[in-house]
Amino acid sequence: MKRIAAEKALEYVEDGMIVGLGTGSTVEYFLPKLGEKVKEGLNIVGIPTSHRTKTIATRCGIPLSTLTEHPEIDVTIDGADEVDPDLNLIKGAGGALTREKIVAFSSKREIIIVDETKLVQKLGSFSPLPVEVIPFGWYPTKLCIEREFGCRAELRREEENPYTSDNMNYILDCEFNGIEDAEKLEKELKSIPGVVETGLFIDMVDTVIVGTREGIKLLEK
Ligand code: 5RP
């Protein structure tokens, strides 16, 4: 289901475009297909959202650049952890939420590729909300989030150590059991000193390509 969604996304990439490249296993089906098109003569430049995507895209022969060279992106193809009926998202299980959000914000068109298990009625129903925080004072930041929002905020770990993002920050995975007002939560979380970014993507998405058992389903804003 992830693979067919990723293949469909190729149709949105045109010659001459600057293309934002998301992060995650669904995007990793997309990158080799895009690489094949480049080898056949498609002229595009990719802007990766993570070190991992940069490495894979390079291996696939996709020419890459930066937001400094290309501050405006034509289309971005990225994955998501949850998609609600208004096409708002939770992202960041792969840890790239901050770069993904900057790239999405710089994109004329944001296209999300998911399998059908990612569709939810309410964000935060199944996935924790990742919140990127600076390492300094991460513990009082965690306590503040837990106190203010009544959630559990778990420091993401990699074996024994705290997981660090490409920005050298920590991630708190916040369990909400359903988020009532995602827009309000986003604003309130961002007002806490130490919070860098949240995995809530509100009103940023144009199209969601859903791979289902029956084939492709398109959700448009
Ligand atoms: C990474 C992300 C990913 O896009 C999200 O976690 C979906 O991943 P996958 O395609 O592996 O299910 O937000 O930060």
Side-chain angles (χ1 to χ4, degrees):
M1 293 189 281
K2 288 182 176 188
R3 184 179 48 74
I4 60 170
E7 285 173 2
K8 180 75 182 170
L10 277 179
E11 293 176 18
Y12 294 82
V13 180
E14 291 168 18
D15 207 52
M17 279 185 163
I18 309 299
V19 183
L21 306 173
T23 295
S25 59
T26 318
V27 169
E28 288 175 25
Y29 285 109
F30 172 73
L31 296 172
K33 292 285 169 193
L34 186 64
E36 281 171 26
K37 292 276 174 203
V38 168
K39 282 187 193 110
E40 288 165 16
L42 181 74
N43 174 32
I44 55 114
V45 173
I47 310 289
T49 53
S50 62
H51 295 327
R52 182 173 168 86
T53 291
K54 184 177 179 184
T55 304
I56 297 169
T58 304
R59 210 184 292 143
C60 294
I62 300 168
L64 298 178
S65 186
T66 64
L67 282 172
T68 311
E69 291 288 322
H70 298 284
E72 199 172 77
I73 295 174
D74 294 300
V75 67
T76 289
I77 312 293
D78 202 349
D81 303 310
E82 287 187 351
V83 180
D84 81 4
D86 296 323
L87 310 193
N88 296 322
L89 314 175
I90 284 184
K91 286 182 52 55
L97 58 142
T98 299
R99 294 187 185 204
E100 289 171 330
K101 204 185 263 190
I102 293 168
V103 166
F105 192 69
S106 309
S107 299
K108 290 187 211 154
R109 189 161 191 193
E110 177 82 0
I111 296 179
I112 297 299
I113 49 177
V114 289
D115 64 69
E116 63 185 4
T117 65
K118 306 289 185 70
L119 301 182
V120 295
Q121 280 308 309
K122 195 186 269 186
L123 293 178
S125 300
F126 304 108
S127 302
L129 173 66
V131 176
E132 183 160 341
V133 299
I134 65 164
F136 180 84
W138 73 269
Y139 190 66
T141 306
K142 162 197 157 77
L143 294 179
C144 176
I145 291 173
E146 289 182 330
R147 191 176 58 241
E148 292 296 315
F149 306 106
C151 62
R152 266 192 48 206
E154 280 294 309
L155 181 67
R156 191 178 294 184
R157 291 188 182 274
E158 209 166 30
E159 294 167 14
E160 299 296 282
N161 301 315
Y163 168 90
T164 50
S165 71
D166 286 353
N167 314 310
M168 303 307 288
N169 292 320
Y170 291 170
I171 290 182
L172 299 173
D173 286 311
C174 303
E175 300 272 358
F176 282 95
N177 288 322
I179 296 169
E180 289 306 326
D181 185 341
E183 203 171 337
K184 183 161 170 271
L185 178 62
E186 165 76 351
K187 284 201 186 105
E188 291 177 355
L189 279 168
K190 295 283 286 281
S191 73
I192 298 172
V195 169
V196 175
E197 195 47 86
T198 87
L200 286 168
F201 282 49
I202 310 290
D203 207 15
M204 299 188 90
V205 173
D206 301 289
T207 303
V208 178
I209 304 174
V210 189
T212 78
R213 272 173 281 255
E214 287 78 41
I216 291 292
K217 194 166 134 188
L218 283 185
L219 306 176
E220 299 282 353
K221 191 78 185 176

